[in-house]
Amino acid sequence: MRAKLTYFALAGALVAYFVLVGSRGVLLIEQGTPLTVTFGAAVLVLPLIGVWFLWQTTQFARKAGRLAAELEAEGGLPVDELKRLPSGRIDRDSADEVFARRRAETEDAPDDWRCWFRLAVAYHDARDTPRARKAMQRAIALHGHEAA
């Protein structure tokens, strides 16, 4: 719940920023000189990119959340079996061991979105966020093909 609140607070701040930047871009364009119109148009591009990125990130999080809920209903969410350091951080060797099992599971069933979801969690636990995101995108894509 805390993560959702943080996400919505940051998203709200970004939207406010986009509105502020967009209004400055419009003011520059209204000046009417070639230089201010050029700068104004360039400034307007930034909020458009930001809104697109925020939309994509929100859609990704919603789809991943739906997969997690479905997997939880099936009783297939990965169990937290990781050893932790006294600081609370995940032990690297433990994360590597779980990751190796998840990777083997995914290699055995490459078309199962559930395996890809669990692999994404293992990547995340191993602090490999880019690969975790790619694995989750694969899980989402496979789930979409299964539902269709």
Side-chain angles (χ1 to χ4, degrees):
M1 185 65 173
R2 183 178 175 187
K4 282 186 179 181
L5 289 174
T6 302
Y7 181 80
F8 286 117
L10 290 174
L14 276 173
V15 168
Y17 173 75
F18 297 152
V19 169
L20 179 66
V21 170
S23 69
R24 298 297 180 220
V26 170
L27 288 174
L28 283 169
I29 290 171
E30 286 176 349
Q31 291 294 315
T33 68
L35 183 63
T36 60
V37 169
T38 303
F39 279 147
V43 167
L44 285 177
V45 169
L46 296 175
L48 294 176
I49 292 171
V51 166
W52 174 84
F53 182 76
L54 184 60
W55 176 256
Q56 293 296 320
T57 303
T58 302
Q59 291 305 309
F60 175 78
R62 289 180 66 222
K63 290 174 184 176
R66 277 193 231 123
L67 292 187
E70 187 173 330
L71 203 53
E72 182 179 28
E74 295 175 359
L77 277 180
V79 178
D80 186 2
E81 54 190 311
L82 299 167
K83 295 179 183 114
R84 303 203 184 270
L85 301 174
S87 65
R89 296 185 89 185
I90 295 171
D91 178 62
R92 182 73 177 184
D93 293 334
S94 175
D96 289 343
E97 178 185 318
V98 171
F99 172 77
R101 280 187 282 146
R102 298 292 182 228
R103 185 180 63 213
E105 176 186 276
T106 304
E107 288 170 354
D108 290 342
D111 294 329
D112 186 357
W113 68 266
R114 295 160 187 85
C115 294
W116 282 97
F117 183 96
R118 289 188 284 267
L119 181 63
V121 172
Y123 270 127
H124 181 266
D125 290 341
R127 296 191 196 116
D128 191 346
T129 304
R131 287 192 177 128
R133 188 171 182 87
K134 286 190 187 306
M136 188 60 73
Q137 287 170 338
R138 178 80 173 134
I140 290 168
L142 286 171
H143 184 266
H145 290 285
E146 185 179 287

